[in-house]
Amino acid sequence: LKLGIYQRFKASRLTDSLATAMKTIEAMAKTDSLTNLYNRRYGLEQLEKEHTRQKRHGDDLSIILFDLDYFKNINDSHGHAAGDKILKHVSHLASSQLRKEDILCRYGGEEFLIVLPQTSLDNTGKTAERIRYSLEKTVCTYSDVEIPATASFATASIHETDNPLQRIDAADKALDAAKESGRNCVCVAPEIQSDLPEPHET
């Protein structure tokens, strides 16, 4: 009887260990190891889910794409460890300006994507400006050296008939425009016309 209890106890412990390991693996699969933000793949999956939800309910959906200004200069001048700290600093600061339902991911390198469900383009612009201003006014310290950092931002709305990836491309072009305008600013991606034909009256 005691042996049976012990075996069941061991089996229960093993099951718990496996469940914990699976949760860890799942978290690692969707998380950027440096910033602890969602990674690009998971961010795009969530964008697609929000777009599907939008098509059902007709809610607003918008995105922010932003890129750190002159990040290569930070790495070259202060080292990659300093650059890593800047990325963590920006990740924390941006997260603090978002709602719990917003989705922030590290899109690649020093570029970040934010998915904002049920958010108009106007309010998305206000969110981008809050993050931009907070970053501009905050200095990150590494090895007793103050390192200022700014970012360029682009916003884009997504409609039911849009392709979300095409809207990210549009935001990327608007991001280039923000950089050409002097950086540390917010630009808006233009709306696109639907490829669907106009409905005919019957």
Side-chain angles (χ1 to χ4, degrees):
L1 179 62
K2 289 183 178 179
L3 180 60
I5 293 173
Y6 177 69
Q7 289 175 333
R8 287 197 297 272
F9 175 74
K10 283 186 65 177
S12 176
R13 289 289 300 271
L14 179 60
T15 300
D16 290 343
S17 297
L18 288 173
T20 300
M22 287 300 297
K23 288 180 180 179
T24 301
I25 292 170
E26 289 173 3
M28 291 174 61
K30 65 184 183 181
T31 304
D32 174 66
S33 59
L34 176 66
T35 63
N36 288 323
L37 300 178
Y38 294 129
N39 58 29
R40 177 186 182 128
R41 180 184 62 81
Y42 186 77
L44 291 177
E45 287 178 359
Q46 294 308 300
L47 174 59
E48 190 59 45
K49 286 182 179 178
E50 291 300 332
H51 188 229
T52 299
R53 183 179 292 114
Q54 179 194 39
K55 286 188 284 189
R56 286 201 306 266
H57 302 293
D59 296 327
D60 287 327
L61 178 62
S62 301
I63 58 172
I64 298 172
L65 196 64
F66 71 97
D67 197 357
L68 295 184
D69 297 329
Y70 304 112
F71 185 69
K72 184 178 184 301
N73 291 349
I74 294 175
N75 280 332
D76 291 345
S77 300
H78 304 283
H80 287 276
D84 287 349
K85 186 168 184 182
I86 291 289
L87 290 171
K88 293 177 183 178
H89 165 71
V90 172
S91 300
H92 176 75
L93 186 147
S95 296
S96 70
Q97 300 294 325
L98 298 174
R99 309 165 301 174
K100 63 179 181 179
E101 60 265 37
D102 298 330
I103 301 151
L104 170 62
C105 73
R106 186 180 179 190
Y107 197 63
E110 64 273 21
E111 194 170 34
F112 299 82
L113 172 69
I114 308 173
V115 181
L116 298 106
Q118 299 180 321
T119 306
S120 67
L121 186 59
D122 181 59
N123 285 332
T124 297
K126 293 176 182 177
T127 299
E129 178 58 28
R130 277 201 312 273
I131 299 172
R132 187 207 65 77
Y133 180 80
S134 297
L135 182 58
E136 179 186 54
K137 296 300 180 183
T138 305
V139 177
C140 182
T141 301
Y142 177 78
S143 295
D144 297 324
V145 177
E146 292 186 344
I147 306 174
T150 61
S152 300
F153 293 76
T155 64
S157 60
I158 299 177
H159 301 291
E160 294 93 327
T161 56
D162 289 340
N163 180 327
L165 293 181
Q166 289 180 347
R167 297 307 288 151
I168 291 178
D169 287 343
D172 196 44
K173 291 181 175 63
L175 190 56
D176 289 339
K179 294 175 182 178
E180 291 171 2
S181 297
R183 303 177 189 257
N184 190 27
C185 62
V186 180
C187 282
V188 181
E191 298 287 337
I192 58 175
Q193 297 295 322
S194 171
D195 292 328
L196 296 178
E198 291 293 327
H200 295 287
E201 293 184 1
T202 57

